Amino acid sequence: MAHGTPPSRPVRQAFWLVTGGLILVAAQTVAAVVLLLRFGAAYDAHGPWTFSEQMQADTVHTRLVGAAVLGAGMSLLLAGAALAVPRRSTSTRTVVGFAGLVVAVALLLGIVLGPDGGVLAGDADELAHLEQLLPVWFTASASATVTAVVVLLGTAFARLGRDAALHYYQHHDPTATWRGFTSWFDIAGRT
């Protein structure tokens, strides 16, 4: 393959799968940040709070901060992985696979230690009161996002194992200073 040869179909598909995971994680991060920005106003508007509810609210706030930071970090890691996919190097698949593994483990830990884990309501009324701070949709979307991202990254890694992708990464012009795609249109436009 020459320097200007566009990426193979599995490489393009892997790029779009990783990019899809990036978009999902970034959207979930934005949702966490929006809840954080509205947290103080929601806390004040729906008070008074019992001592137990105040403790849980503090935990939810702390875990929302953690979710936002984790999401931002994983978004950056996925952006790097997405940019690495078209890079014609024999180590690209290793880098993308390692980044995918780190993201999957971090997101799964993020679910376990997520904001909803801070809600330990004693009864339905207390739970309904705390849901004013952490809506059910956020918990559901976080779980769905993690599941979708893990599936997307696993599928992307499987696509990078295809023969066409192996050929793309292993057979290239070693004298080229940039052995990747020549433009974003090579990835987006050609099938």
Side-chain angles (χ1 to χ4, degrees):
M1 285 190 165
H3 167 65
T5 304
S8 67
R9 186 172 187 190
V11 174
R12 283 191 309 274
Q13 289 169 343
F15 171 79
W16 286 113
L17 290 166
V18 173
T19 301
L22 165 63
I23 290 167
L24 289 173
V25 171
Q28 188 64 30
T29 303
V30 168
V33 169
V34 167
L35 284 178
L36 273 173
L37 293 174
R38 296 179 178 175
F39 194 86
Y43 184 84
D44 293 340
H46 299 291
W49 301 90
T50 66
F51 179 75
S52 172
E53 290 171 336
Q54 287 176 352
M55 297 298 289
Q56 292 177 66
D58 289 342
T59 302
V60 167
H61 183 267
T62 301
R63 290 184 178 198
L64 268 174
V65 170
V69 170
L70 176 71
M74 294 304 99
S75 293
L76 289 174
L77 185 59
L78 283 174
L83 290 174
V85 168
R87 178 83 167 114
R88 293 185 87 163
S89 169
T90 54
S91 61
T92 296
R93 292 180 313 129
T94 304
V95 168
V96 172
F98 182 72
L101 181 63
V102 168
V103 168
V105 169
L107 290 176
L108 290 171
L109 286 174
I111 287 295
V112 171
L113 301 172
D116 58 316
V119 177
L120 304 169
D123 58 22
D125 291 336
E126 188 176 59
L127 180 61
H129 199 200
L130 289 167
E131 284 177 353
Q132 302 298 319
L133 300 175
L134 185 68
V136 174
W137 65 261
F138 180 80
T139 303
S141 69
S143 297
T145 296
V146 169
T147 302
V149 169
V150 168
V151 168
L152 287 172
L153 294 178
T155 305
F157 191 69
R159 298 302 300 161
L160 291 178
R162 302 283 305 224
D163 286 341
L166 291 173
H167 189 266
Y168 174 79
Y169 289 119
Q170 292 177 351
H171 302 289
H172 59 278
D173 179 8
T175 62
T177 56
W178 166 251
R179 295 179 295 252
F181 58 93
T182 56
S183 81
W184 287 104
F185 294 114
D186 287 343
I187 293 173
R190 298 181 185 166
T191 56

